[in-house]
Amino acid sequence: MKQLMMLFFSFCFSLGIHAQENNDALLKQALNAFNEKEYAASAQIFEKLVKIDSLNAALHYNLGTSYLRMQNTALSIYHLEKALKLQPDYEAARINLNFAEKLKTKVTKGNLPIPQQQMLYSVFNFLKPNAWAYLAIASMFLTVMVLVIYRLNSNATAKKALFTLSIFTLAISIGSYFISKNQSDYLLMHHYVIVKDADAVLMNEPRTVAKVSATLIEGEKGFIQEATNQWIKIQLPNDTLGWIEKNKVLQY
């Protein structure tokens, strides 16, 4: 049984190494294609890598930059915004996003609302959600260990110190859990949309026969207010509200 377990773990480890080698090879191909100015080929490979690791800011940045060189307004803005959502201090992504914004045929004045979770995410972004989760588990394990030692110890002074330490490690565990959950919720939840169709329109109601409230342009952004199976209610930077079909936007 022990040998079977060892073989299983060895097999899993080998698969992990093989997958990482494949990813590294793909990344090298994508960067080479970009350097050779083969931007379509570069974007195609980066798309594959993003599907494998969707929370990798650098991959979204490279993909967005490839689309920027192809002058694909919507997809360049979308992936550069994703890079900044994952890593708010990503200055290169911010610079390229400014260039991508200039591809739009018109500029919409105003600012979009900022999700409440974003502030907390920015404060605790020095660790990723998985790292916070591991810290929560490790702290909880340490709390249990300290409490076991506390129960076995007969020295009053030591017991007091151990009890205080257990409260401290428990607080770290609980705090890390909630930070991890907030980080994950923020990254996985969609707060904004990027219009990907040049002929998209904003409707007063979630119906194709409703009155048109605004004509949108490719690359325009909106803040998500609510959603149905086929429609999303968004707020534009100029505070205009309306409904747009889901298949005409990219959510992030």
Side-chain angles (χ1 to χ4, degrees):
M1 183 66 181
K2 186 177 180 180
Q3 290 180 337
L4 286 174
M5 290 295 291
M6 289 296 292
L7 285 172
F8 174 74
F9 286 123
S10 297
F11 176 70
C12 291
F13 183 69
S14 298
L15 284 178
I17 292 176
H18 182 66
Q20 185 59 48
E21 288 176 349
N22 286 342
N23 293 345
D24 290 343
L26 282 174
L27 179 60
K28 187 176 181 179
Q29 289 176 28
L31 293 173
N32 287 339
F34 185 89
N35 292 332
E36 293 295 326
K37 298 183 179 181
E38 297 174 359
Y39 302 122
S42 175
Q44 188 176 18
I45 300 170
F46 276 123
E47 283 282 6
K48 293 179 181 178
L49 289 167
V50 163
K51 287 179 181 178
I52 296 169
D53 187 4
S54 62
L55 299 183
N56 188 315
L59 292 179
H60 282 287
Y61 163 76
N62 284 304
L63 180 54
T65 303
S66 295
Y67 280 125
L68 174 61
R69 294 300 178 90
M70 295 165 63
Q71 296 194 338
N72 188 319
T73 307
L75 288 175
S76 62
I77 291 175
Y78 170 73
H79 286 288
L80 291 168
E81 286 282 12
K82 285 278 287 185
L84 284 168
K85 181 177 182 179
L86 292 163
Q87 189 177 325
D89 60 348
Y90 206 151
E91 193 57 31
R94 194 175 303 281
I95 291 170
N96 280 4
L97 178 60
N98 289 333
F99 285 114
E101 293 280 0
K102 293 177 182 178
L103 295 176
K104 295 194 295 189
T105 55
K106 69 176 182 179
V107 178
T108 306
K109 295 182 179 180
N111 296 304
L112 293 173
I114 298 174
Q116 293 180 349
Q117 293 169 312
Q118 182 174 333
M119 184 177 294
L120 190 60
Y121 177 83
S122 300
V123 170
F124 294 103
N125 191 41
F126 55 88
L127 288 180
K128 297 304 178 186
N130 285 348
W132 284 111
Y134 293 144
L135 180 59
I137 294 169
S139 300
M140 182 58 69
F141 179 77
L142 183 58
T143 301
V144 173
M145 294 298 294
V146 170
L147 287 174
V148 169
I149 298 172
Y150 167 83
R151 289 295 301 272
L152 297 175
N153 202 301
S154 58
N155 184 287
T157 303
K159 285 178 73 91
K160 184 177 180 180
L162 288 167
F163 183 77
T164 303
L165 179 59
S166 69
I167 296 297
F168 178 71
T169 54
L170 180 62
I172 292 176
S173 179
I174 294 172
S176 299
Y177 166 77
F178 282 108
I179 292 171
S180 174
K181 187 176 186 307
N182 176 83
Q183 305 287 71
S184 297
D185 289 345
Y186 173 70
L187 292 177
L188 297 175
M189 189 179 297
H190 297 142
H191 297 96
Y192 300 100
V193 298
I194 301 289
V195 177
K196 65 177 182 178
D197 288 0
D199 60 345
V201 291
L202 203 63
M203 317 296 284
N204 282 346
E205 299 176 9
R207 297 183 297 124
T208 54
V209 293
K211 183 180 178 182
V212 175
S213 57
T215 300
L216 305 177
I217 60 169
E218 183 185 358
E220 191 159 2
K221 303 174 189 175
F223 182 76
I224 298 173
Q225 295 281 349
E226 57 181 290
T228 67
N229 290 334
Q230 294 181 324
W231 295 82
I232 301 177
K233 186 178 182 181
I234 62 172
Q235 176 183 339
L236 298 180
N238 61 8
D239 294 331
T240 300
L241 292 173
W243 294 85
I244 186 169
E245 292 178 272
K246 278 187 176 180
N247 60 4
K248 294 188 180 294
V249 296
L250 299 164
Q251 301 178 58
Y252 71 98

